[in-house]
């Protein structure tokens, strides 16, 4: 609009295909005391809408302000699950029975993720140097299962107790020198989990005896990149370093809280893009 206001919208579709098998054992000097096994499979799809705008508040200035709103993602999910307990004498007790689907419990649910709000600023110095900064907010305590049954209500209470608002900050810069560009960026994402979050399996809507859980803390991401542009071709390289600490718990004991095992995750990624303009 008059080269001062830019509007955009995106319809997003998400597919879910999740598989998990877990096995938990307790043993003494003689052998296994008992074994818990779990199979879980989730499939489904969801959709969301993103609305955004970029403003140039000053006519002869390259300064830009951006705002966007992301609606929740609405998911329709189907969960298949089974659980098996084996005692010290080798006898197994399983959820499998004739009234289950291939020996698994089946639960249909609808999940709504939180709204996301984003604000950004950018400035270019001539045609050689650009800076931008971005902030995003999402409150995960507002996630909801949309059923009216007692299990959905209990699970929604777990969102309130164990989740919290997440803040994301991104900053970036780019220097252009004729056909070449050098880029660098930093991204910090706060933890979506409360500090004392724990797994309460009694509110699960599926057959689940898996007791382990992990609480992830804030994530730091650093990127550097190099780009080359020509009239027809372009080539980009980027390196990304992700750092995150977590605490892993094999189970939660309300009477005797156990300390978690600290997990330090370090991920390196290298990405290359080759393109051609026609």
């Amino acid at each position: 609009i008059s080269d001062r206001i830019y509007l955009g919208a995106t319809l997003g579709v998400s597919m879910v295909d999740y598989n998990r098998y877990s096995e938990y054992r307790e043993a003494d000097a003689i052998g296994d005391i008992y074994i818990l096994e779990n199979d879980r499979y989730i499939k489904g799809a969801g959709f969301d809408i993103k609305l955004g705008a970029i403003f140039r508040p000053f006519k002869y200035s390259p300064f830009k302000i951006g705002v966007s709103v992301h609606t929740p993602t609405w998911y329709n999910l189907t969960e298949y699950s089974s659980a098996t307990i084996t005692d010290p004498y080798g006898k197994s007790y399983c959820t499998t029975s004739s009234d289950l689907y291939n020996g698994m419990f089946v639960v249909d649910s609808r999940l709504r993720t939180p709204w996301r709000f984003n604000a950004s600023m950018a400035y270019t110095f001539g045609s050689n140097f650009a800076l931008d900064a971005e902030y995003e907010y999402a409150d995960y305590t507002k996630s909801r299962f949309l059923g009216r049954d007692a299990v959905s209500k209990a699970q929604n209470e777990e969102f309130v107790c164990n989740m919290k608002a997440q803040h994301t900050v991104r900053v970036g810069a780019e220097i252009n020198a004729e056909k070449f560009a050098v880029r660098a960026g930093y991204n910090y994402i706060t933890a979506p989990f409360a500090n004392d979050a724990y797994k309460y399996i009694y509110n699960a809507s599926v057959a689940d005896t898996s007791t382990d859980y992990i609480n992830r803390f804030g994530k730091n991401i650093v990127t550097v990149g190099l780009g080359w542009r020509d009239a027809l071709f372009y080539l980009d390289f980027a390196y990304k370093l992700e750092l995150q600490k977590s605490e892993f718990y094999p189970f939660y004991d309300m009477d005797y809280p156990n300390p978690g095992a600290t997990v330090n995750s370090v991920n390196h990624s290298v990405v290359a893009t080759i393109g051609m303009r026609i």
Side-chain angles (χ1 to χ4, degrees), residues 171-195:
V171 293
E174 179 178 289
I175 300 174
N176 281 301
E178 295 182 358
K179 295 183 178 182
F180 291 93
V182 178
R183 309 180 185 96
Y186 174 71
N187 181 196
Y188 178 68
I189 308 170
T190 65
F193 298 100
N195 295 334

PDB file of all heavy atoms in Angstrom, residues 171-195:
ATOM      1  N   VAL A 171      18.185 -11.773  16.732  1.00  0.00           N
ATOM      2  CA  VAL A 171      18.871 -10.604  16.167  1.00  0.00           C
ATOM      3  C   VAL A 171      19.764 -11.091  15.033  1.00  0.00           C
ATOM      4  O   VAL A 171      20.288 -12.210  15.073  1.00  0.00           O
ATOM      5  CB  VAL A 171      19.709  -9.846  17.222  1.00  0.00           C
ATOM      6  CG1 VAL A 171      18.807  -9.194  18.258  1.00  0.00           C
ATOM      7  CG2 VAL A 171      20.708 -10.778  17.895  1.00  0.00           C
ATOM      8  N   GLY A 172      19.927 -10.263  14.016  1.00  0.00           N
ATOM      9  CA  GLY A 172      20.736 -10.669  12.879  1.00  0.00           C
ATOM     10  C   GLY A 172      21.339  -9.477  12.168  1.00  0.00           C
ATOM     11  O   GLY A 172      20.884  -8.334  12.320  1.00  0.00           O
ATOM     12  N   ALA A 173      22.404  -9.742  11.422  1.00  0.00           N
ATOM     13  CA  ALA A 173      23.077  -8.698  10.653  1.00  0.00           C
ATOM     14  C   ALA A 173      23.611  -9.300   9.366  1.00  0.00           C
ATOM     15  O   ALA A 173      23.925 -10.495   9.306  1.00  0.00           O
ATOM     16  CB  ALA A 173      24.219  -8.077  11.456  1.00  0.00           C
ATOM     17  N   GLU A 174      23.708  -8.454   8.335  1.00  0.00           N
ATOM     18  CA  GLU A 174      24.256  -8.890   7.049  1.00  0.00           C
ATOM     19  C   GLU A 174      25.075  -7.757   6.446  1.00  0.00           C
ATOM     20  O   GLU A 174      24.668  -6.588   6.490  1.00  0.00           O
ATOM     21  CB  GLU A 174      23.137  -9.285   6.092  1.00  0.00           C
ATOM     22  CG  GLU A 174      23.659  -9.716   4.714  1.00  0.00           C
ATOM     23  CD  GLU A 174      22.534 -10.155   3.781  1.00  0.00           C
ATOM     24  OE1 GLU A 174      21.967 -11.227   4.040  1.00  0.00           O
ATOM     25  OE2 GLU A 174      22.237  -9.412   2.826  1.00  0.00           O
ATOM     26  N   ILE A 175      26.237  -8.123   5.926  1.00  0.00           N
ATOM     27  CA  ILE A 175      27.114  -7.180   5.233  1.00  0.00           C
ATOM     28  C   ILE A 175      27.244  -7.632   3.782  1.00  0.00           C
ATOM     29  O   ILE A 175      27.583  -8.793   3.518  1.00  0.00           O
ATOM     30  CB  ILE A 175      28.506  -7.114   5.886  1.00  0.00           C
ATOM     31  CG1 ILE A 175      28.388  -6.661   7.344  1.00  0.00           C
ATOM     32  CG2 ILE A 175      29.419  -6.163   5.121  1.00  0.00           C
ATOM     33  CD1 ILE A 175      29.699  -6.701   8.096  1.00  0.00           C
ATOM     34  N   ASN A 176      26.954  -6.730   2.853  1.00  0.00           N
ATOM     35  CA  ASN A 176      27.052  -7.029   1.430  1.00  0.00           C
ATOM     36  C   ASN A 176      28.258  -6.334   0.825  1.00  0.00           C
ATOM     37  O   ASN A 176      28.521  -5.159   1.097  1.00  0.00           O
ATOM     38  CB  ASN A 176      25.796  -6.561   0.690  1.00  0.00           C
ATOM     39  CG  ASN A 176      24.649  -7.532   0.869  1.00  0.00           C
ATOM     40  OD1 ASN A 176      24.751  -8.691   0.510  1.00  0.00           O
ATOM     41  ND2 ASN A 176      23.579  -7.046   1.463  1.00  0.00           N
ATOM     42  N   ALA A 177      29.018  -7.062   0.001  1.00  0.00           N
ATOM     43  CA  ALA A 177      30.149  -6.495  -0.728  1.00  0.00           C
ATOM     44  C   ALA A 177      30.059  -7.001  -2.162  1.00  0.00           C
ATOM     45  O   ALA A 177      30.503  -8.122  -2.462  1.00  0.00           O
ATOM     46  CB  ALA A 177      31.467  -6.911  -0.084  1.00  0.00           C
ATOM     47  N   GLU A 178      29.434  -6.181  -3.009  1.00  0.00           N
ATOM     48  CA  GLU A 178      29.188  -6.552  -4.394  1.00  0.00           C
ATOM     49  C   GLU A 178      28.413  -7.868  -4.474  1.00  0.00           C
ATOM     50  O   GLU A 178      27.274  -7.928  -4.056  1.00  0.00           O
ATOM     51  CB  GLU A 178      30.518  -6.619  -5.164  1.00  0.00           C
ATOM     52  CG  GLU A 178      31.206  -5.275  -5.273  1.00  0.00           C
ATOM     53  CD  GLU A 178      32.479  -5.355  -6.080  1.00  0.00           C
ATOM     54  OE1 GLU A 178      32.853  -6.463  -6.522  1.00  0.00           O
ATOM     55  OE2 GLU A 178      33.091  -4.295  -6.291  1.00  0.00           O
ATOM     56  N   LYS A 179      29.035  -8.961  -4.921  1.00  0.00           N
ATOM     57  CA  LYS A 179      28.310 -10.210  -5.113  1.00  0.00           C
ATOM     58  C   LYS A 179      28.295 -11.094  -3.864  1.00  0.00           C
ATOM     59  O   LYS A 179      27.607 -12.114  -3.843  1.00  0.00           O
ATOM     60  CB  LYS A 179      28.916 -10.997  -6.274  1.00  0.00           C
ATOM     61  CG  LYS A 179      28.766 -10.313  -7.631  1.00  0.00           C
ATOM     62  CD  LYS A 179      29.326 -11.200  -8.736  1.00  0.00           C
ATOM     63  CE  LYS A 179      29.140 -10.541 -10.093  1.00  0.00           C
ATOM     64  NZ  LYS A 179      29.649 -11.424 -11.188  1.00  0.00           N
ATOM     65  N   PHE A 180      29.038 -10.720  -2.821  1.00  0.00           N
ATOM     66  CA  PHE A 180      29.154 -11.565  -1.644  1.00  0.00           C
ATOM     67  C   PHE A 180      28.442 -10.943  -0.445  1.00  0.00           C
ATOM     68  O   PHE A 180      28.330  -9.717  -0.337  1.00  0.00           O
ATOM     69  CB  PHE A 180      30.622 -11.811  -1.301  1.00  0.00           C
ATOM     70  CG  PHE A 180      31.338 -12.675  -2.296  1.00  0.00           C
ATOM     71  CD1 PHE A 180      32.027 -12.101  -3.354  1.00  0.00           C
ATOM     72  CD2 PHE A 180      31.311 -14.059  -2.186  1.00  0.00           C
ATOM     73  CE1 PHE A 180      32.689 -12.893  -4.276  1.00  0.00           C
ATOM     74  CE2 PHE A 180      31.967 -14.859  -3.104  1.00  0.00           C
ATOM     75  CZ  PHE A 180      32.655 -14.277  -4.156  1.00  0.00           C
ATOM     76  N   ALA A 181      27.975 -11.808   0.447  1.00  0.00           N
ATOM     77  CA  ALA A 181      27.324 -11.352   1.671  1.00  0.00           C
ATOM     78  C   ALA A 181      27.771 -12.235   2.828  1.00  0.00           C
ATOM     79  O   ALA A 181      27.930 -13.455   2.683  1.00  0.00           O
ATOM     80  CB  ALA A 181      25.802 -11.409   1.533  1.00  0.00           C
ATOM     81  N   VAL A 182      27.980 -11.614   3.986  1.00  0.00           N
ATOM     82  CA  VAL A 182      28.334 -12.320   5.212  1.00  0.00           C
ATOM     83  C   VAL A 182      27.230 -12.051   6.227  1.00  0.00           C
ATOM     84  O   VAL A 182      26.799 -10.895   6.400  1.00  0.00           O
ATOM     85  CB  VAL A 182      29.698 -11.859   5.763  1.00  0.00           C
ATOM     86  CG1 VAL A 182      30.008 -12.589   7.071  1.00  0.00           C
ATOM     87  CG2 VAL A 182      30.794 -12.113   4.742  1.00  0.00           C
ATOM     88  N   ARG A 183      26.739 -13.115   6.901  1.00  0.00           N
ATOM     89  CA  ARG A 183      25.616 -12.972   7.820  1.00  0.00           C
ATOM     90  C   ARG A 183      25.948 -13.595   9.167  1.00  0.00           C
ATOM     91  O   ARG A 183      26.747 -14.522   9.263  1.00  0.00           O
ATOM     92  CB  ARG A 183      24.366 -13.663   7.246  1.00  0.00           C
ATOM     93  CG  ARG A 183      24.035 -13.269   5.827  1.00  0.00           C
ATOM     94  CD  ARG A 183      22.787 -13.994   5.325  1.00  0.00           C
ATOM     95  NE  ARG A 183      22.547 -13.696   3.924  1.00  0.00           N
ATOM     96  CZ  ARG A 183      22.941 -14.472   2.925  1.00  0.00           C
ATOM     97  NH1 ARG A 183      23.576 -15.602   3.192  1.00  0.00           N
ATOM     98  NH2 ARG A 183      22.692 -14.143   1.679  1.00  0.00           N
ATOM     99  N   ALA A 184      25.298 -13.085  10.208  1.00  0.00           N
ATOM    100  CA  ALA A 184      25.429 -13.659  11.552  1.00  0.00           C
ATOM    101  C   ALA A 184      24.125 -13.431  12.291  1.00  0.00           C
ATOM    102  O   ALA A 184      23.433 -12.422  12.076  1.00  0.00           O
ATOM    103  CB  ALA A 184      26.590 -13.029  12.312  1.00  0.00           C
ATOM    104  N   GLY A 185      23.772 -14.367  13.154  1.00  0.00           N
ATOM    105  CA  GLY A 185      22.525 -14.237  13.903  1.00  0.00           C
ATOM    106  C   GLY A 185      22.602 -14.924  15.249  1.00  0.00           C
ATOM    107  O   GLY A 185      23.442 -15.809  15.481  1.00  0.00           O
ATOM    108  N   TYR A 186      21.729 -14.506  16.138  1.00  0.00           N
ATOM    109  CA  TYR A 186      21.627 -15.109  17.468  1.00  0.00           C
ATOM    110  C   TYR A 186      20.151 -15.256  17.820  1.00  0.00           C
ATOM    111  O   TYR A 186      19.330 -14.371  17.533  1.00  0.00           O
ATOM    112  CB  TYR A 186      22.324 -14.260  18.519  1.00  0.00           C
ATOM    113  CG  TYR A 186      22.113 -14.761  19.932  1.00  0.00           C
ATOM    114  CD1 TYR A 186      22.715 -15.931  20.381  1.00  0.00           C
ATOM    115  CD2 TYR A 186      21.281 -14.068  20.812  1.00  0.00           C
ATOM    116  CE1 TYR A 186      22.503 -16.403  21.663  1.00  0.00           C
ATOM    117  CE2 TYR A 186      21.068 -14.527  22.093  1.00  0.00           C
ATOM    118  CZ  TYR A 186      21.681 -15.699  22.514  1.00  0.00           C
ATOM    119  OH  TYR A 186      21.464 -16.165  23.794  1.00  0.00           O
ATOM    120  N   ASN A 187      19.801 -16.381  18.437  1.00  0.00           N
ATOM    121  CA  ASN A 187      18.424 -16.696  18.781  1.00  0.00           C
ATOM    122  C   ASN A 187      18.399 -17.297  20.188  1.00  0.00           C
ATOM    123  O   ASN A 187      19.123 -18.261  20.452  1.00  0.00           O
ATOM    124  CB  ASN A 187      17.864 -17.673  17.742  1.00  0.00           C
ATOM    125  CG  ASN A 187      16.415 -18.072  17.981  1.00  0.00           C
ATOM    126  OD1 ASN A 187      15.946 -19.043  17.412  1.00  0.00           O
ATOM    127  ND2 ASN A 187      15.694 -17.359  18.815  1.00  0.00           N
ATOM    128  N   TYR A 188      17.588 -16.723  21.073  1.00  0.00           N
ATOM    129  CA  TYR A 188      17.427 -17.284  22.417  1.00  0.00           C
ATOM    130  C   TYR A 188      15.950 -17.588  22.647  1.00  0.00           C
ATOM    131  O   TYR A 188      15.083 -16.748  22.401  1.00  0.00           O
ATOM    132  CB  TYR A 188      17.912 -16.315  23.492  1.00  0.00           C
ATOM    133  CG  TYR A 188      17.701 -16.862  24.895  1.00  0.00           C
ATOM    134  CD1 TYR A 188      18.436 -17.964  25.337  1.00  0.00           C
ATOM    135  CD2 TYR A 188      16.763 -16.300  25.750  1.00  0.00           C
ATOM    136  CE1 TYR A 188      18.240 -18.488  26.597  1.00  0.00           C
ATOM    137  CE2 TYR A 188      16.563 -16.811  27.023  1.00  0.00           C
ATOM    138  CZ  TYR A 188      17.303 -17.903  27.442  1.00  0.00           C
ATOM    139  OH  TYR A 188      17.105 -18.430  28.696  1.00  0.00           O
ATOM    140  N   ILE A 189      15.669 -18.819  23.098  1.00  0.00           N
ATOM    141  CA  ILE A 189      14.302 -19.274  23.329  1.00  0.00           C
ATOM    142  C   ILE A 189      14.203 -19.750  24.774  1.00  0.00           C
ATOM    143  O   ILE A 189      14.945 -20.648  25.191  1.00  0.00           O
ATOM    144  CB  ILE A 189      13.925 -20.428  22.378  1.00  0.00           C
ATOM    145  CG1 ILE A 189      14.214 -20.042  20.930  1.00  0.00           C
ATOM    146  CG2 ILE A 189      12.463 -20.811  22.550  1.00  0.00           C
ATOM    147  CD1 ILE A 189      14.086 -21.210  19.958  1.00  0.00           C
ATOM    148  N   THR A 190      13.313 -19.162  25.548  1.00  0.00           N
ATOM    149  CA  THR A 190      13.170 -19.573  26.938  1.00  0.00           C
ATOM    150  C   THR A 190      12.431 -20.907  27.028  1.00  0.00           C
ATOM    151  O   THR A 190      11.793 -21.358  26.081  1.00  0.00           O
ATOM    152  CB  THR A 190      12.422 -18.520  27.755  1.00  0.00           C
ATOM    153  OG1 THR A 190      11.066 -18.418  27.272  1.00  0.00           O
ATOM    154  CG2 THR A 190      13.091 -17.151  27.657  1.00  0.00           C
ATOM    155  N   ALA A 191      12.513 -21.533  28.185  1.00  0.00           N
ATOM    156  CA  ALA A 191      11.895 -22.839  28.384  1.00  0.00           C
ATOM    157  C   ALA A 191      10.377 -22.713  28.406  1.00  0.00           C
ATOM    158  O   ALA A 191       9.829 -21.775  28.991  1.00  0.00           O
ATOM    159  CB  ALA A 191      12.371 -23.448  29.697  1.00  0.00           C
ATOM    160  N   PRO A 192       9.658 -23.678  27.789  1.00  0.00           N
ATOM    161  CA  PRO A 192       8.192 -23.684  27.872  1.00  0.00           C
ATOM    162  C   PRO A 192       7.683 -24.402  29.116  1.00  0.00           C
ATOM    163  O   PRO A 192       6.491 -24.399  29.379  1.00  0.00           O
ATOM    164  CB  PRO A 192       7.781 -24.439  26.608  1.00  0.00           C
ATOM    165  CG  PRO A 192       8.901 -25.399  26.383  1.00  0.00           C
ATOM    166  CD  PRO A 192      10.152 -24.717  26.867  1.00  0.00           C
ATOM    167  N   PHE A 193       8.599 -25.047  29.877  1.00  0.00           N
ATOM    168  CA  PHE A 193       8.204 -25.821  31.053  1.00  0.00           C
ATOM    169  C   PHE A 193       8.434 -25.019  32.329  1.00  0.00           C
ATOM    170  O   PHE A 193       9.414 -24.277  32.448  1.00  0.00           O
ATOM    171  CB  PHE A 193       9.016 -27.122  31.147  1.00  0.00           C
ATOM    172  CG  PHE A 193       8.811 -28.055  29.995  1.00  0.00           C
ATOM    173  CD1 PHE A 193       9.734 -28.112  28.967  1.00  0.00           C
ATOM    174  CD2 PHE A 193       7.703 -28.879  29.924  1.00  0.00           C
ATOM    175  CE1 PHE A 193       9.562 -28.962  27.887  1.00  0.00           C
ATOM    176  CE2 PHE A 193       7.509 -29.728  28.860  1.00  0.00           C
ATOM    177  CZ  PHE A 193       8.441 -29.772  27.849  1.00  0.00           C
ATOM    178  N   ALA A 194       7.554 -25.191  33.306  1.00  0.00           N
ATOM    179  CA  ALA A 194       7.770 -24.633  34.633  1.00  0.00           C
ATOM    180  C   ALA A 194       8.982 -25.308  35.269  1.00  0.00           C
ATOM    181  O   ALA A 194       9.338 -26.442  34.933  1.00  0.00           O
ATOM    182  CB  ALA A 194       6.534 -24.828  35.504  1.00  0.00           C
ATOM    183  N   ASN A 195       9.638 -24.604  36.201  1.00  0.00           N
ATOM    184  CA  ASN A 195      10.854 -25.136  36.809  1.00  0.00           C
ATOM    185  C   ASN A 195      10.612 -26.451  37.545  1.00  0.00           C
ATOM    186  O   ASN A 195      11.495 -27.300  37.627  1.00  0.00           O
ATOM    187  CB  ASN A 195      11.459 -24.107  37.764  1.00  0.00           C
ATOM    188  CG  ASN A 195      11.940 -22.862  37.036  1.00  0.00           C
ATOM    189  OD1 ASN A 195      12.265 -22.918  35.849  1.00  0.00           O
ATOM    190  ND2 ASN A 195      11.981 -21.741  37.725  1.00  0.00           N
TER     191      ASN A 195
END
